[in-house]
Amino acid sequence: MNRSPEAQAQFERLLPEAIAAARAAWCPHSDFPVGAALLTLDEHIIRGCNVENVSYGLTNCAERSALFSAIAQGHAPASFKAMLVYAPKVALIAPCGACRQVMHELMSAGCPVYCVGHDATAARDWTVEQLLPGAFGF
């Protein structure tokens, strides 16, 4: 993948954080851990992991966990530089529809979202806008 030097540096900084977040996942029902690492404008990294519930509708994905934590910590919507999503049990991961909608509201349209599974060569880079074209918004 041809990334700019800045994008490559973000990817390399966020990947170990997302891997660590995936290790914290609570996924007794699916055995499908996912971790996310969100880079803030002030260069902090906020981790998120999936947290399952036997009633799957009550489950929270890693991406939303990271974003909701960031907002709870006082970071403003659209004040994020990048997010990386990691899942060790697939070659490539992509955010679900609910996460894409939340990203649309809480991240800027051009914010990069790096997605990677156990096969780093299959990593995919998107922007929030590319993940949800024609998004519902206000």
Side-chain angles (χ1 to χ4, degrees), residues 60-93:
N60 204 43
C61 297
E63 300 92 312
R64 286 180 282 147
S65 291
L67 283 163
F68 295 162
S69 292
I71 298 298
Q73 292 174 35
H75 296 276
S79 68
F80 308 109
K81 293 175 82 171
M83 177 183 276
L84 188 141
V85 184
Y86 168 78
K89 295 195 173 190
V90 293
L92 179 63
I93 188 73

Side-chain angles (χ1 to χ4, degrees), residues 25-102:
W26 173 251
C27 52
H29 310 293
S30 70
D31 192 32
F32 190 79
V34 180
L38 180 65
L39 182 62
T40 66
L41 285 179
D42 59 0
E43 297 295 321
H44 287 96
I45 295 175
I46 298 171
R47 294 179 185 171
C49 64
N50 55 319
V51 180
E52 291 182 351
N53 189 282
V54 70
S55 175
Y56 274 111
L58 302 178
T59 293
N60 204 43
C61 297
E63 300 92 312
R64 286 180 282 147
S65 291
L67 283 163
F68 295 162
S69 292
I71 298 298
Q73 292 174 35
H75 296 276
S79 68
F80 308 109
K81 293 175 82 171
M83 177 183 276
L84 188 141
V85 184
Y86 168 78
K89 295 195 173 190
V90 293
L92 179 63
I93 188 73
C96 74
C99 288
R100 292 173 190 221
Q101 182 62 43
V102 170

